[in-house]
Structure formats: structure tokens, C-alpha cells
Amino acid sequence: FRSLLETRDGALVALIKHHGLYRLRDDGWEGFACNPKLEGLEGGGLLEDPEGALWFAADSERLARVDHQESLTFWPVAQILPLRSPEDSRPPSLSGGIAWQDRILFTSSLGVGALNPRSSPEAYWFPSILGDGARVIPGIQGAFWASSLSNVVRYDRAGAVVEYYSPRGYSNTLRYAIPRQHGGVWVVGGNGLFAMPDPSRMVHYTKVPSAATEGVAQALEDREGNLWIA
């Protein structure tokens, strides 16, 4: 398995290396009609756009889009990322992306980009000082967050930077960051869990061995304000 996604209609879809897309039915996994065209592809980063189509990185040169009829379209990465440097062969990362308003937000070496699936696939870029390893996090009231190994940025619903968090002494060690219910962000760092109520304050939440945070895949805050990490 390269990626798992629960779609808005409640279906579970898997992207499987070299084989394509599969949907879980009552009697097992059922392959998509377009799978013969996906054989041999690595694939990665499955995302559902606002219209319900599925997107993923087919390889370093192409993004793939699969619509409701399971028809497959490839978009050249060069068309989507016209500004990337020639030596950078990494595809956009949809695994750290979200559907936002009528767009798809994703990350790449250029920062946070947006695609409007209804029009030209050429991306435009939000102001970003995130660097590599970034992921996009949904916020409230149409806003969104983005975090990387060193920084956390909050954007408003228009895509402008509102707040910028850069924990001192934790450059390239942030494992995960999510918005806090009461403002600011939770940060999973190299040697523990921290709350940042505002960009200037960092409150130690609990100490965790670095080995325990190194492979963090997800962090969640429950209704009572407790932080859970996986």
C-alpha cells in the first residue's frame, strides 16, 4: 500500500504500488477500470479534490487524476511546477495536501502550491518560508496551516500569512504540528511535545524520548484538549 483514503462518500480507497487504485467492497478489494494504465507505477499521496476526483503523484514527471467514471488523466509536473529547478526531480507531495475551497493544496520544494482542478493545472504559490518536509493542515473558518521541519505558518482564507511560528532550537527537528483548540499550535519536537500559544511562547507539555517522536505519522487533539500521537 502506498496510500489509503476515506472519500467523502465513506468509501475506502487504496493506492497500491505497481498495481493502481482499489476500492473496498463488502466482498473484498475491487480494482478501478483505469488500473491497466497504472501498472508498474510507484504512485504516492492520494487526495480527493472538491469535485470528488482522486489525485496522486504517478511518478516524478506526472500527476494522475481519476474521475467518477474512473477515467485517468495525466498532468505533466513541468506544466504544474514551471518554476522548479531542473535538478529537482521530486514530484509534488499530495500526501501532505488537503482539499481547500475549490482547490487542492499540496507541498513541494517550492513551498505550498494550489491547483484548481476545474481550470488549468498550472499551480500558483502561497508565500512560504517552509522548506522541505512540509504538510498542509486544515484550519477553521476557511483558513489553513502548513508545517515543515523547522516552521509553522498560519494562512487566512485568502491565503495570506497571518502568523509564523519558528520554535527556537528546533530547526529541522519538528516531527508534526497541528492547530490548538485554544489558539496557537501543538508541536511534536525532537525531544518532547510542546504548546505554542503564540509565536513568542513555547510551553513544555511532556517529555518524550526522541526515538518515540521520530516516526510520528499523525497527531490529534481530543475534545478535552489532550494530545494523541501515532
Side-chain angles (χ1 to χ4, degrees):
F1 285 79
R2 297 290 290 178
S3 299
L4 280 172
L5 173 72
E6 183 180 3
T7 60
R8 286 193 291 276
D9 61 4
L12 185 64
V13 176
L15 177 61
I16 301 178
K17 181 179 179 179
H18 301 319
H19 294 283
L21 293 168
Y22 289 79
R23 183 182 289 107
L24 184 61
R25 303 290 193 187
D26 293 336
D27 56 349
W29 293 95
E30 177 185 76
F32 277 46
C34 59
N35 278 355
K37 298 179 181 179
L38 296 173
E39 288 183 1
L41 295 180
E42 290 279 336
L46 190 57
L47 183 66
E48 182 181 20
D49 73 19
E51 295 187 338
L54 301 176
W55 291 73
F56 57 94
D59 50 39
S60 64
E61 299 299 327
R62 298 175 296 173
L63 286 185
R65 180 183 185 273
V66 178
D67 63 19
H68 290 287
Q69 288 73 43
E70 301 184 5
S71 297
L72 173 67
T73 305
F74 287 115
W75 296 103
V77 168
Q79 184 177 357
I80 297 169
L81 301 180
L83 300 178
R84 72 177 188 159
S85 60
E87 64 273 11
D88 185 2
S89 61
R90 290 169 295 177
S93 173
L94 300 189
S95 58
I98 59 171
W100 179 72
Q101 298 183 15
D102 60 348
R103 304 172 181 87
I104 295 171
L105 298 184
F106 62 94
T107 62
S108 83
S109 57
L110 294 178
V112 179
L115 290 175
N116 185 339
R118 299 175 185 173
S119 59
S120 167
E122 182 173 330
Y124 64 90
W125 301 97
F126 291 104
S128 177
I129 39 178
L130 289 168
D132 289 340
R135 69 177 69 226
V136 188
I137 308 159
I140 59 173
Q141 298 179 343
F144 68 94
W145 296 72
S147 70
S148 69
L149 295 174
S150 302
N151 308 302
V152 185
V153 179
R154 182 165 73 91
Y155 298 82
D156 64 18
R157 61 182 301 117
V161 172
V162 179
E163 290 179 292
Y164 169 65
Y165 297 74
S166 184
R168 296 177 184 174
Y170 288 88
S171 178
N172 295 319
T173 63
L174 300 189
R175 313 298 189 202
Y176 210 93
I178 59 171
R180 294 176 70 234
Q181 294 179 26
H182 301 296
V185 293
W186 288 109
V187 175
V188 182
N191 66 343
L193 310 179
F194 301 86
M196 293 190 71
D198 58 59
S200 63
R201 287 193 296 153
M202 192 166 184
V203 181
H204 195 251
Y205 181 66
T206 185
K207 189 171 183 178
V208 178
S210 59
T213 62
E214 190 167 343
V216 170
Q218 191 170 8
L220 295 171
E221 183 182 14
D222 65 24
R223 296 178 183 177
E224 298 179 353
N226 300 307
L227 190 63
W228 297 77
I229 62 173

